[in-house]
Amino acid sequence: MNYDRVYNFSAGPSMLPEKVLEQVRDDLLNYKGTGESVMEMSHRSKEYMSIIEAAEADLRDLLAIPDNYKVLFLQGGATTQFSMVPLNLMTKSHKADYVVTGSWAKKAMKEAKKYGDVRIAASSEEDTFTYIPELTKDDFRADADYVHICFNNTIYGSHYPYIPDTGDAPLVADMSSCILSEKVDVSRFGIIYAGVQKNIAPAGCAIAIVREDLIGNAPESCPVYMDYAIHAENGSMYNTPPCFTIYVAGEVFKYIKALGGIDAMHEIDVRKAKKLYDYIDSSDLYTAPVRDKDRSIMNCVFVTGDEALDKKFVAEAKEQGLINLNGHRSIGGMRASIYNAMPEEGVDKLISFMQDFEKNNK
Ligand SMILES: *Cc1c(COP(=O)(O)O)cnc(C)c1O
């Protein structure tokens, strides 16, 4: 179907699969014969219960989430997890180690400082976050309550090519911009969290996958909404959840399962990213600053080396229906976010635009 849609390379909110949008449209006024929209439905109704239960079951299936982890649908985005994590986990030594690999990692670290003894275990800031540090157990304090990393750095376009060994300290990972793009061994993590508006659903929800022993340790002074235990005990229904967003997330999970699951999704993602980086590496005009093995397959950052030319690139791309290619306002240049829902044709069209632009701006 042609809806005159553009290819949106925004880092988030970002594109949703067209098939999912069509399904949502078909369900919009009357969800499966209920006579009402999911937007109007009681979150306690049996129809809605089956939506949220199926969403959780499909996510568990996609990521092979072990039984000793809870899946929580929460509000406040990934940003609220920056405070929920220390509030719930900094309860023994009150120490936490953070790895600073970009702006989001830094924001998470700053927030945690309000709650205890936060140490930067490693940082790649001295090299403008163009790489992921090589970390070993010795980089972390043995008695840290947890270690926090940002697995995919949305703004700088880097990604961990490995899962760090943190010894006994639980590893907490912000996966907002890479969740569902690759298989991860969930059992290596204490908590995985993600805002949904990058790779899952419209904005309004964060998903936290929390190992059970990390739940129930928040101090009494913890605000009720910030306590993982409250959400775990109430099946993410302590209060009204972001019903419509969770429903769309559930449709996206079904869509990925129908494609063949995470492995099939990953194969497509890798193919799209490889094309784009291969072209950039072969070009005389563009360069990608992130170290080869640490490059993100979701957020591809590149520059021409000339700020005025970068601006021209972004403006001319927009005229071709390739929108939001500007880099984050803090670093400039270009960034093509090519999440799961970006069709391969979108990447092909971008590369062909880049070739033309290179020819015309020699
Ligand atoms: C977008 C993003 C955030 C912030 O997400 P919100 O849901 O807007 O709070 C945090 N971390 C990463 C890695 C992100 O990409």
Side-chain angles (χ1 to χ4, degrees):
M1 260 299 199
N2 179 9
Y3 300 101
D4 259 345
R5 283 165 55 77
V6 293
Y7 292 107
N8 179 7
F9 293 90
S10 169
S14 43
M15 293 183 83
L16 285 162
E18 205 160 279
K19 275 198 180 138
V20 169
L21 291 175
E22 285 173 329
Q23 184 64 49
V24 169
R25 175 198 60 199
D26 293 347
D27 289 346
L28 198 65
L29 277 85
N30 183 348
Y31 177 78
K32 300 200 193 314
T34 57
E36 58 181 338
S37 170
V38 177
M39 286 186 269
E40 303 164 305
M41 212 174 255
S42 162
H43 59 293
R44 313 257 177 222
S45 64
K46 84 171 187 315
E47 290 83 5
Y48 192 76
M49 287 306 292
S50 70
I51 291 175
I52 192 169
E53 281 165 10
E56 176 176 340
D58 285 340
L59 181 64
R60 284 186 173 279
D61 197 22
L62 281 168
L63 290 178
I65 300 173
D67 289 342
N68 62 325
Y69 286 74
K70 292 280 193 234
V71 172
L72 307 175
F73 296 98
L74 306 165
Q75 295 184 60
T79 299
T80 297
Q81 295 309 302
F82 295 170
S83 12
M84 247 170 128
V85 166
L87 267 166
N88 284 268
L89 267 57
M90 256 191 196
T91 55
K92 295 181 191 109
S93 66
H94 301 276
K95 294 178 186 171
D97 285 354
Y98 276 67
V99 182
V100 176
T101 50
S103 316
W104 293 115
K106 205 172 186 177
K107 279 191 174 158
M109 185 269 293
K110 276 192 176 158
E111 185 64 18
K113 276 190 172 167
K114 296 177 183 170
Y115 302 98
D117 170 4
V118 168
R119 176 176 154 270
I120 298 178
S123 166
S124 51
E125 186 161 20
E126 87 291 347
D127 209 0
T128 33
F129 299 122
T130 50
Y131 71 100
I132 299 292
E134 322 278 343
L135 302 159
T136 68
K137 222 162 48 183
D138 300 333
D139 290 307
F140 308 110
R141 291 179 289 189
D143 63 342
D145 283 336
Y146 66 94
V147 171
H148 182 279
I149 62 172
C150 181
F151 209 55
N152 186 79
N153 297 282
T154 323
I155 294 175
Y156 291 89
S158 69
H159 174 273
Y160 277 75
Y162 70 106
I163 300 174
D165 176 4
T166 55
D168 290 335
L171 177 60
V172 176
D174 178 354
M175 293 200 185
S176 294
S177 50
C178 61
I179 193 163
L180 298 181
S181 69
E182 65 194 319
K183 213 177 223 162
V184 285
D185 179 355
V186 175
S187 72
R188 298 278 309 273
F189 297 86
I191 298 180
I192 292 171
Y193 66 84
V196 297
Q197 71 277 18
K198 312 279 163 71
N199 222 6
I200 302 183
C205 181
I207 292 175
I209 302 165
V210 189
R211 210 173 63 206
E212 278 169 355
D213 61 293
L214 301 175
I215 298 175
N217 309 312
E220 285 209 8
S221 61
C222 182
V224 66
Y225 196 86
M226 305 299 277
D227 186 348
Y228 286 129
I230 289 289
H231 300 286
E233 283 158 17
N234 291 282
S236 301
M237 291 269 191
Y238 174 70
N239 67 334
T240 318
C243 302
F244 193 76
T245 295
I246 295 169
Y247 148 71
V248 182
E251 292 302 316
V252 169
F253 301 153
K254 284 186 212 164
Y255 165 82
I256 298 174
K257 282 182 82 171
L259 268 184
I262 296 290
D263 286 337
M265 193 75 254
H266 182 67
E267 196 182 311
I268 299 169
D269 288 335
V270 167
R271 195 165 66 224
K272 290 188 306 194
K274 186 173 183 319
K275 270 188 205 183
L276 186 52
Y277 284 117
D278 281 352
Y279 168 64
I280 291 169
D281 289 341
S282 73
S283 127
D284 293 327
L285 181 62
Y286 312 100
T287 48
V290 175
R291 184 166 74 178
D292 215 17
K293 71 185 174 76
D294 302 334
R295 286 176 177 176
S296 166
I297 58 168
M298 297 279 101
N299 311 100
C300 170
V301 169
F302 57 99
V303 294
T304 65
D306 171 345
E307 256 178 66
L309 202 55
D310 289 351
K311 284 212 170 73
K312 189 172 173 219
F313 178 99
V314 172
E316 288 184 13
K318 188 176 174 188
E319 285 167 26
Q320 304 295 315
L322 306 166
I323 72 164
N324 293 323
L325 279 159
N326 48 298
H328 189 267
R329 58 187 189 277
S330 60
I331 66 167
M334 276 80 77
R335 171 178 51 176
S337 294
I338 49 173
Y339 295 120
N340 287 352
M342 169 60 66
E344 193 158 353
E345 306 83 73
V347 176
D348 292 339
K349 221 179 146 192
L350 171 62
I351 294 171
S352 124
F353 169 78
M354 289 170 78
Q355 288 165 334
D356 291 343
F357 188 84
E358 181 167 1
K359 254 184 247 137
N360 299 335
N361 291 279
K362 273 233 159 85

